[in-house]
Amino acid sequence: MTFTAENVLQSIASLLSGQFPSYPIYISQAPAVVDLPCFFLSLMPSSILEEPDKRFLREIGVDIVFLQQRNVLNRTELNLDVAEFLDYAMDVITYADGSGETVPLHCLERNWQTQDGDLHYQVTIKQRVARPTTPILMQTMEANNVTEKGNQ
């Protein structure tokens, strides 16, 4: 299984489209004109820390932004509904890499806030990954079957 930031965004988009099928979801960049309400998914600062045995700790930050029209009466209520759903659903997400295999990913450091009436839900995913390597197998072996006198 391959772990990539793009697949993390696609997995979150899949989760959102299941709950909010009529809301468009834009990943990383948006077109000039968007349909509201909608979601934007973008990466926040991420890091990779090297660990022993050719392993790495990948820390990926994601910002989920929920936008809606400005002059709607129930705007705050809808933001709260989306935030509540994300608090519940983003505990563990189903990660897929396109191969048909899925694994659960735990999301950490989840928080949300509103800025100018738009909901920003931020989450961090920390995942240990290993670089795929081809093992170097022993090619030849020399055996020395010499016995010393007195050690028989």
Side-chain angles (χ1 to χ4, degrees), residues 6-62:
E6 182 65 27
N7 287 341
V8 168
L9 293 176
Q10 290 293 341
S11 297
I12 293 172
S14 176
L15 172 77
L16 291 171
S17 65
Q19 180 69 22
F20 305 101
S22 62
Y23 298 168
I25 301 167
Y26 303 102
I27 297 178
S28 297
Q29 295 193 11
V33 177
V34 296
D35 294 326
L36 297 175
C38 67
F39 290 97
F40 285 95
L41 304 180
S42 61
L43 293 173
M44 298 186 333
S46 300
S47 65
I48 300 175
L49 301 172
E50 192 169 355
E51 293 191 341
D53 197 26
K54 297 183 182 177
R55 295 184 184 272
F56 299 89
L57 178 64
R58 290 204 58 189
E59 185 173 315
I60 298 176
V62 178

Side-chain angles (χ1 to χ4, degrees), residues 23 34-40 65-82 114 116-119:
Y23 298 168
V34 296
D35 294 326
L36 297 175
C38 67
F39 290 97
F40 285 95
V65 181
F66 178 64
L67 297 177
Q68 53 183 315
Q69 295 174 344
R70 297 284 180 202
N71 298 324
V72 177
L73 292 177
N74 65 342
R75 187 171 188 189
T76 303
E77 182 180 323
L78 189 52
N79 277 343
L80 288 173
D81 288 345
V82 170
T114 56
D116 296 328
D118 301 325
L119 175 68

